[in-house]
Amino acid sequence: MEPILNVKNLTMNFGGLKALDNIDLTVEKGQIAALIGPNGAGKTTFFNCITGIYQPSEGDVEITPPGKPMDRLNGLKTNQVTERGLARTFQNIRLFEGMTVLENVMIGRHCRLKSSILSAMLRPSSQKNEEKQAIADSYKVLEKIGLDQYVNEMAVNLPYGAQRRLEIARALATDPFLLLLDEPAAGMNPQETKELDELIIWLRDNEDLSILLIEHDMKLVMSLSDNIHVVDYGKKIAEGTPDEIKSNPDVIKAYLGDDSDDA
Amino acid sequence: MVTKKEIKQSFFIALWFMVLTFPIMVIKVNTIKHIILFRWENFVWVGVIGFFASLIWNYFLRLKEQKKKSDNGDDIPLVHRLLQNERVRIPFLAAIAVFFLAYPFVFPMYHTSIMISALVYVMLGLGLNIVVGLAGLLDLGYVAFYAVGAYAYALLNLHFGISFWIVLPVSAVLGFICGTLLGYPVLRLRGDYLAIVTLGFGEIIRIILENWDEFSNGPRGIPNVPAPSFFGYQFGQHGSVIYIYFIVIALVLLTIFFVSRLENSKIGRAWIALRDDEIACQAMGIDKFKTKLTAFALGATWASIAGVVFAAKTSFVNPMSFTIWESITILCVVVIGGMGSAIGVIAGALVLILLPEYLRAVSEYRMLVFGALQVIVMVFKPEGLIQSVRKKYKFEKLKD
Ligand SMILES: Nc1ncnc2c1ncn2[C@@H]1O[C@H](COP(=O)(O)OP(=O)(O)O)[C@@H](O)[C@H]1O
Ligand SMILES: [Mg+2]
C-alpha cells in the first residue's frame, strides 16, 4: 500500500545554510511517527516545507489520502495544503488571542464551509444551517479534546496545557487525515504530558488519523511511536522502531553531542 | 499615597512645562508700541497647574494599575452589559431610538447638520473598522474611497442627471470594485509598508482630482450637487437637512446590521484570525490574500456610500475634502472608539466629531483640549472607549 505521506530528497537552503539535506521520510496510514533530533536539527523547517510555509529548494512531497489518488504538494500555498488534509500545530503556541476558544476551533472549520460575502450579509437559511453545523461540529471537537469547559473563554486566558490542546483541537477541526504536531508536550508538566499521550493514541484509534510528531520528551516518543526518524544538522541519520533507535550508535552520538568529527 | 518620588517627578515636570511654555505664555510682543511684556504671573500659574496636574495624572495611572491587577482585564463594558441584560435592553434601545428620532425636531438645524456629519463618520468608522480593527490592515488612504463615492454622485449627476437613489447602490458596487483594484497590488505588503503605500494611493487620488480639470473640474470642484428627492419631490433647504438626517440614520442602521452579521460570520472570524496570527491563519486553511482583499473591498464599499451622502449633504465637492487628515480622523475614530468594536466605533465617531463642534465655546483652545482628551483616552483606555466583546454561545442542550 502507498504511504499516506511520502517525502523524497527534501532539501532546504537558507543562504549558505542547509537546514534540510536530502531527507526521505514516509508515514504509513494509521501510524504514529516521530521526528526527533537535537535543537536546530531542522525539524520545524521540515514541517514548514511540507506545509507550504517555506518552498523547499529541492525535493518532492506526495500524499495519498485514504480513498483518494496520489497528489503532489509542491508549490501549493499553506491553506491549500490544509485543504488537502494535512493539519499542524506550532512549536510556539500560535492561537488567535482576540477570539474565544470555540471561535478558534471554528476557524479550523473555515475551509470546509461554503458561505460567501453576500450570504454572510443576507443570511439565507442555508447559511444559518451551515453556521449552526459549524458551531456544533466545533463544540464536538472541544468535547473530544476535553476543552468544552472553556468554550466561551478567551483563548489567551487558558492555562498553558489547555492552550497546547486547543492548538490540536483547532487542527483537528480542519478534518485532516494526517496531523503534524510540533513539540506538543513542550512546557507541559508530567500530568499534562500523560494526558497528551492518551489523547494522541485516542486520536489515532478513534479518528482514523495518522500522526507525525516532533518531540523532545523521549519517554513520550518511545512509548507512542511506531516509527522514529532521527535528523541531525539537516541530515537524516536513522530510522526505525523505538528499540532500534535506542540502541543506534549514531543517534546516541548525536544526542550526547560528540563534537570530535565536525569541528 | 503620594510618594516622595512622585512629588519630585511632578516638580520637574512642572519646571519643564514652565520652560516649554515660556515663549507663548510669558512673553508677549506688543507690535504697536514696540515693547515686550513679560507676564510672570502666567509663569507661576503654569508651574502650579503643571505640578498638580502631574500628581493627579500619576494618581489615576496608579488606580488603573491596581484595577488591572484585581480583575485581570476581564470586565465587560457598561454598554454591553446593558445590551446583554434582557430587562434593560429594550428600554435602553428605545431611549436611543427616541432620542435620534426626535433630534432634528428638537434641536435647531445647525445641530442636525453637525449630527449628520457625525453619522457619516459612524459609517466611515464602521467601514474602516473592518479593514483596521478586524483584519488588522493599517490603511491610511481610506479617504480615497470616500472621494470615489462623492465624485461618483457629483459627476454622474452632472453629466447624466442620475439621481441620489440610483447612485447609492451604484457607488457601493463602485467602491467594492475600486477597493479590489487598489487592494490587489498593495495587499502583498504588510504593517508599516502597507500604511505608507495606502497613504500614497490616497494622495494620488486626491492629486488626480485636483489636476485633471476636464474630468473633475480641478480644485474648483463641482457645485450644485442636488439633495436627494423624495419620490420626485424636492424638499426646501430646512426639509432637506431633516430628510438627509433620516437617510443617514437608515444607512447607519443598515451598516450596523450588515457589519455585525459579517463580524460573526465565517468571513469576520477569518479577518480576526488573520489579524491575530497570519501564519496560523493560513495553516487553518484560510486564503490570506483573498481574505485581506474582501476586508479591503468591503471597507471601501462603505466609504463610497458615505461619500455619496457627504456630497448630497454639502451640495459641493472639491478635492480639499479628501486630504490625508480626513483619513487620519477616521483612523482616530476607530482607534479611540475601540479597534474591532462596532459599538466603540459609533461612540468614537460621535465623541470625536461632535466634541470639537461643541468645544467652540472655548474656541481658541478647542484643538488643544481635543488633543489632550485623545491622549488621555489612549493612556487610560488603550483598548478604546468601548472594548470589543466576542459573542458567547450556549450549549446546555448538547451537554446531557
Ligand atoms: N527562516 C529561516 N531563515 C534562516 N534560517 C532558518 C530559518 N528557519 C530556520 N532556520 C535555521 O534552520 C535550522 C533548523 O531550524 P529548526 O528547523 O527550527 O530546528 P528544530 O526545529 O529542529 O529545532 C536552524 O539552524 C535555524 O537557524
Ligand atoms: Mg523546532
Side-chain angles (χ1 to χ4, degrees):
Chain A
M1 211 177 94
E2 290 277 326
I4 59 164
L5 175 71
N6 189 2
V7 180
K8 292 186 272 191
N9 308 322
L10 196 71
T11 300
M12 181 77 212
N13 296 317
F14 291 115
L17 176 82
K18 250 196 173 123
L20 294 176
D21 190 356
N22 242 319
I23 303 249
D24 292 307
L25 185 150
T26 58
V27 177
E28 306 290 337
K29 185 170 182 310
Q31 214 177 36
I32 296 180
L35 180 62
I36 65 171
N39 262 327
K43 305 180 296 294
T44 299
T45 304
F46 179 82
F47 271 18
N48 286 342
C49 283
I50 55 178
T51 55
I53 291 176
Y54 297 156
Q55 290 304 329
S57 316
E58 273 169 61
D60 277 318
V61 182
E62 292 170 0
I63 54 166
T64 313
K68 284 187 198 152
M70 194 192 79
D71 202 356
R72 276 183 81 217
L73 297 184
N74 294 48
L76 291 186
K77 287 196 282 183
T78 306
N79 57 301
Q80 294 169 321
V81 172
T82 308
E83 275 167 28
R84 279 166 179 68
L86 269 72
R88 69 171 290 181
T89 65
F90 293 91
Q91 183 177 346
N92 335 323
I93 298 178
R94 283 175 167 259
L95 292 173
F96 306 120
E97 308 199 332
M99 287 195 232
T100 63
V101 167
L102 184 76
E103 286 174 319
N104 264 275
V105 179
M106 285 173 81
I107 287 290
R109 295 300 306 157
H110 185 280
C111 59
R112 307 293 170 214
L113 306 181
K114 290 191 196 66
S115 76
S116 66
I117 301 176
L118 268 184
S119 68
M121 290 203 287
L122 301 177
R123 233 179 247 180
S125 63
S126 65
Q127 155 81 13
K128 270 188 217 147
N129 291 338
E130 189 184 77
E131 186 78 7
K132 258 189 221 148
Q133 191 60 45
I135 294 169
D137 289 344
S138 305
Y139 188 73
K140 238 181 265 160
V141 173
L142 284 175
E143 277 184 325
K144 276 179 207 158
I145 308 289
L147 289 173
D148 44 321
Q149 49 173 326
Y150 298 118
V151 64
N152 280 322
E153 293 281 340
M154 294 306 275
V156 269
N157 296 339
L158 255 52
Y160 183 83
Q163 291 196 6
R164 284 236 171 258
R165 293 166 78 91
L166 179 54
E167 278 232 340
I168 299 177
R170 199 175 61 171
L172 214 56
T174 65
D175 285 346
F177 66 89
L178 175 64
L179 198 55
L180 306 166
L181 305 175
D182 196 345
E183 303 201 17
M188 282 189 172
N189 62 34
Q191 174 61 27
E192 287 168 333
T193 309
K194 194 171 146 280
E195 286 168 13
L196 179 74
D197 185 325
E198 287 159 9
L199 174 67
I200 292 175
I201 297 203
W202 187 90
L203 285 175
R204 179 197 45 193
D205 295 343
N206 294 283
E207 294 289 302
D208 207 15
L209 269 173
S210 313
I211 291 158
L212 175 61
L213 83 156
I214 295 174
E215 190 43 71
H216 277 306
D217 184 330
M218 280 309 136
K219 208 172 125 244
L220 184 72
V221 170
M222 294 301 167
S223 78
L224 272 177
S225 315
D226 303 312
N227 200 18
I228 300 177
H229 307 264
V230 190
V231 287
D232 191 20
Y233 292 110
K235 283 200 178 67
K236 184 152 157 186
I237 58 171
E239 175 184 347
T241 62
D243 287 330
E244 288 166 0
I245 294 297
K246 260 183 228 165
S247 55
N248 185 314
D250 289 335
V251 177
I252 295 167
K253 206 166 80 181
Y255 267 89
L256 293 181
D258 185 327
D259 44 9
S260 58
D261 52 6
D262 57 346
Chain B
M1 264 321 291
V2 180
T3 60
K4 221 173 175 174
K5 200 177 129 227
E6 279 181 5
I7 293 182
K8 205 169 125 195
Q9 191 196 9
S10 299
F11 177 76
F12 282 112
I13 285 176
L15 209 63
W16 183 67
F17 261 97
M18 285 159 83
V19 174
L20 200 69
T21 57
F22 186 82
I24 49 170
M25 295 302 286
V26 180
I27 299 174
K28 186 173 187 180
V29 182
N30 190 324
T31 44
I32 299 166
K33 291 187 188 156
H34 296 289
I35 51 169
I36 294 174
L37 269 171
F38 286 94
R39 297 168 296 177
W40 291 110
E41 72 278 5
N42 281 359
F43 197 56
V44 177
W45 276 121
V46 168
V48 171
I49 292 172
F51 181 75
F52 284 106
S54 160
L55 279 186
I56 293 168
W57 182 268
N58 275 328
Y59 171 76
F60 279 111
L61 268 185
R62 214 169 34 201
L63 214 64
K64 185 187 149 208
E65 283 302 311
Q66 278 164 2
K67 199 166 155 245
K68 204 158 53 184
K69 259 176 225 154
S70 63
D71 60 20
N72 57 57
D74 212 33
D75 53 342
I76 298 167
L78 178 69
V79 185
H80 285 282
R81 265 179 290 157
L82 287 177
L83 287 174
Q84 275 161 14
N85 188 328
E86 296 288 334
R87 279 222 318 273
V88 188
R89 184 169 57 209
I90 303 293
F92 178 64
L93 288 177
I96 292 178
V98 168
F99 174 80
F100 277 101
L101 284 178
Y103 193 90
F105 303 107
V106 176
F107 294 100
M109 201 168 89
Y110 165 70
H111 290 266
T112 310
S113 171
I114 294 173
M115 187 54 103
I116 293 175
S117 306
L119 290 170
V120 168
Y121 275 92
V122 169
M123 284 178 72
L124 288 168
L126 286 172
L128 187 63
N129 185 42
I130 294 178
V131 186
V132 180
L134 295 178
L137 306 166
L138 187 48
D139 178 2
L140 292 181
Y142 191 62
V143 74
F145 305 117
Y146 189 36
V148 164
Y151 269 90
Y153 180 37
L155 288 173
L156 285 176
N157 189 275
L158 183 71
H159 296 306
F160 307 105
I162 300 177
S163 79
F164 176 86
W165 291 109
I166 296 180
V167 176
L168 209 57
V170 168
S171 78
V173 175
L174 201 64
F176 191 88
I177 293 172
C178 287
T180 312
L181 290 180
L182 278 188
Y184 207 82
V186 305
L187 285 178
R188 284 165 209 286
L189 305 166
R190 66 165 115 172
D192 22 16
Y193 300 103
L194 178 68
I196 297 298
V197 173
T198 50
L199 186 149
F201 259 114
E203 284 295 274
I204 287 172
I205 298 277
R206 185 181 61 80
I207 290 168
I208 288 176
L209 291 175
E210 213 152 75
N211 292 290
W212 193 1
D213 254 28
E214 305 83 73
F215 174 70
S216 64
N217 212 14
R220 273 160 290 129
I222 301 165
N224 301 327
V225 181
S229 64
F230 183 71
F231 294 107
Y233 175 75
Q234 201 77 38
F235 287 100
Q237 207 198 2
H238 187 89
S240 227
V241 171
I242 295 180
Y243 185 43
I244 293 179
Y245 174 85
F246 282 109
I247 291 175
V248 180
I249 292 273
L251 285 174
V252 165
L253 287 178
L254 216 62
T255 310
I256 296 171
F257 178 76
F258 282 133
V259 167
S260 65
R261 279 188 161 191
L262 279 170
E263 209 183 314
N264 283 306
S265 74
K266 162 189 158 173
I267 296 165
R269 286 191 298 269
W271 289 334
I272 300 174
L274 200 64
R275 174 194 72 189
D276 285 353
D277 193 318
E278 261 189 25
I279 290 187
C281 182
Q282 287 170 277
M284 290 297 108
I286 291 172
D287 188 329
K288 177 174 95 175
F289 191 67
K290 218 171 102 189
T291 306
K292 282 185 176 180
L293 206 57
T294 52
F296 209 68
L298 281 170
T301 307
W302 267 282
S304 183
I305 297 174
V308 176
V309 177
F310 171 80
K313 184 213 156 206
T314 54
S315 78
F316 172 67
V317 293
N318 80 342
M320 285 314 291
S321 308
F322 308 105
T323 59
I324 169 79
W325 292 111
E326 208 64 18
S327 290
I328 291 176
T329 309
I330 306 167
L331 189 64
C332 283
V333 163
V334 175
V335 173
I336 291 192
M339 297 253 264
S341 151
I343 296 180
V345 170
I346 295 167
L350 295 179
V351 169
L352 239 61
I353 306 306
L354 295 182
L355 207 61
E357 295 297 334
Y358 292 112
L359 277 176
R360 280 184 201 282
V362 284
S363 52
E364 278 175 67
Y365 301 105
R366 185 165 79 111
M367 279 341 239
L368 195 70
V369 172
F370 186 55
L373 279 175
Q374 292 192 24
V375 172
I376 288 170
V377 171
M378 280 297 101
V379 169
F380 292 103
K381 273 184 94 47
E383 68 284 349
L385 289 173
I386 301 168
Q387 204 179 341
S388 74
V389 172
R390 294 304 302 167
K391 188 170 170 182
K392 301 240 188 297
Y393 299 85
K394 291 205 181 72
F395 289 97
E396 271 88 65
K397 278 166 278 159
L398 283 161
K399 251 173 195 160
D400 39 46

